[in-house]
Amino acid sequence: MTATTFAAAAQGFVRDLEEDFARVAAAVAEARSRGAQLLALPEAALGGYLSSLHGEATDGPPRLDPDGPEIRRLAALAGDMVVTAGYCEAGDTGSGGLPYNSCVAVTGDGVLGRHRKVHQPLNENASYAAGDRFAAFDTPVGRIGMMICYDKAFPEAARALAVDGARIVVCMSAWPASRTDRAPVLAEDRWARRFDLHDRARALENQIVWVSANQAGTFGDMQLVGAAKVVDPGGEILATTGPEAGLAVASVDVDAAVDAARRYMSHLRDRRPDAYGPRPVAAGV
């Protein structure tokens, strides 16, 4: 049995890419010093997130080529680790002129997998085009899936990745505290509690290892909740940063933990997809 060490970052990022890469390099160095084989950085780690989700944003992050120099630079920093990070991906012919809110998984050998955020909260669709799929992929630490922030509020997203063989899901977020009636203690804010509930529920529902990175501090009109964490297949939090910036680091024997969780009550095995859709109405009813 071999344990994998995961590091999830709670950290703020800005518009200036050179500053962001300095922060990425520091996080990579700390994660490496703590034995991590996978480091999850937040949504919009390269270029920062939107300054507002309420139609008040006056600037946007830099639009990056998914095969461009910034992604190659991230891969070079990753070296022998798997590093996941969010960025603003330049649009294509199907995006209506908008960029995508995207993330990428890399090692020093290059890109392992990509994801475009599918679910868009509030006014995010005014700034980004939406992705349209969830797919797992193989990496040196096992088969993983990725999602971005609001994606995790939809159980079908994580389930699609688990059905596709992901035993590890990395969720990268820029999840804010409540804009109205914010709790005086950030960890007690209702949106911070929801962030944690989604993380634990998605891990438990699918009996997978869940690695959750999030932005921390403030950006534009948003207070970000931090709370990066690693969750085991039983929904137990193994490590968390709480509301502070930092790294949550935990080691898990992924196959042993997932196999043990699924040994008797396997949620994937025991699904009944035929029962979940609408039933045809019988004639005369």
Side-chain angles (χ1 to χ4, degrees):
M1 295 191 296
T2 304
T4 299
T5 300
F6 299 96
Q11 188 170 358
F13 291 90
V14 296
R15 286 284 180 266
D16 184 87
L17 286 171
E18 286 304 315
E19 174 60 27
D20 288 335
F21 272 109
R23 298 181 188 191
V24 169
V28 167
E30 181 182 350
R32 182 171 285 120
S33 74
R34 297 176 68 177
Q37 290 130 297
L38 181 147
L39 167 64
L41 296 166
E43 174 183 11
L46 303 182
Y49 186 53
L50 303 176
S51 57
S52 174
L53 280 172
H54 300 275
E56 301 157 6
T58 57
D59 67 332
R63 302 183 181 195
L64 306 182
D65 182 338
D67 297 308
E70 295 84 6
I71 304 304
R72 293 194 295 271
R73 185 174 178 182
L74 181 69
L77 286 170
D80 59 355
M81 280 198 303
V82 176
V83 174
T84 69
Y87 71 103
C88 179
E89 178 191 344
D92 56 23
T93 55
S95 70
L98 293 174
Y100 295 98
N101 187 342
S102 295
C103 60
V104 65
V106 297
T107 67
D109 292 329
V111 173
L112 302 170
R114 305 180 188 274
H115 173 67
R116 291 169 171 170
K117 187 175 183 179
V118 172
H119 301 97
Q120 298 180 304
L122 301 173
N123 290 327
E124 194 180 82
N125 62 348
S127 300
Y128 295 110
D132 61 5
R133 71 197 66 187
F134 294 91
F137 53 93
D138 295 320
T139 79
V141 300
R143 190 161 178 83
I144 77 171
M146 300 190 297
M147 64 178 63
I148 300 176
C149 202
Y150 193 43
D151 283 339
K152 73 178 172 184
F154 298 84
E156 301 90 341
R159 180 54 51 86
L161 292 171
V163 168
D164 197 23
R167 291 191 154 209
I168 304 156
V169 169
V170 179
C171 185
M172 290 154 271
S173 301
W175 191 283
S178 173
R179 192 182 190 194
T180 60
D181 195 26
R182 184 175 299 165
V185 177
L186 184 57
E188 297 174 0
D189 186 83
R190 67 181 185 274
W191 278 99
R193 295 198 305 271
R194 291 171 189 178
F195 184 82
D196 289 341
L197 283 169
H198 286 312
D199 285 339
R200 299 184 70 178
R202 299 297 89 85
L204 176 59
E205 288 165 348
N206 296 289
Q207 298 168 305
I208 54 176
V209 175
W210 187 268
V211 184
S212 178
N214 193 29
Q215 295 239 10
T218 60
F219 192 83
D221 67 4
M222 290 183 287
Q223 170 74 55
L224 291 311
V225 304
K229 64 179 70 64
V230 180
V231 187
D232 76 8
E236 300 299 326
I237 297 174
L238 302 179
T240 181
T241 64
E244 305 301 324
L247 293 183
V249 179
S251 297
V252 187
D253 185 325
V254 175
D255 285 337
V258 171
D259 289 346
R262 296 176 180 177
R263 183 167 296 126
Y264 299 113
M265 296 179 67
S266 171
H267 300 164
L268 298 187
R269 180 197 65 212
D270 296 338
R271 290 185 311 129
R272 289 284 309 280
D274 57 307
Y276 305 147
R279 293 180 179 274
V281 177
V285 174

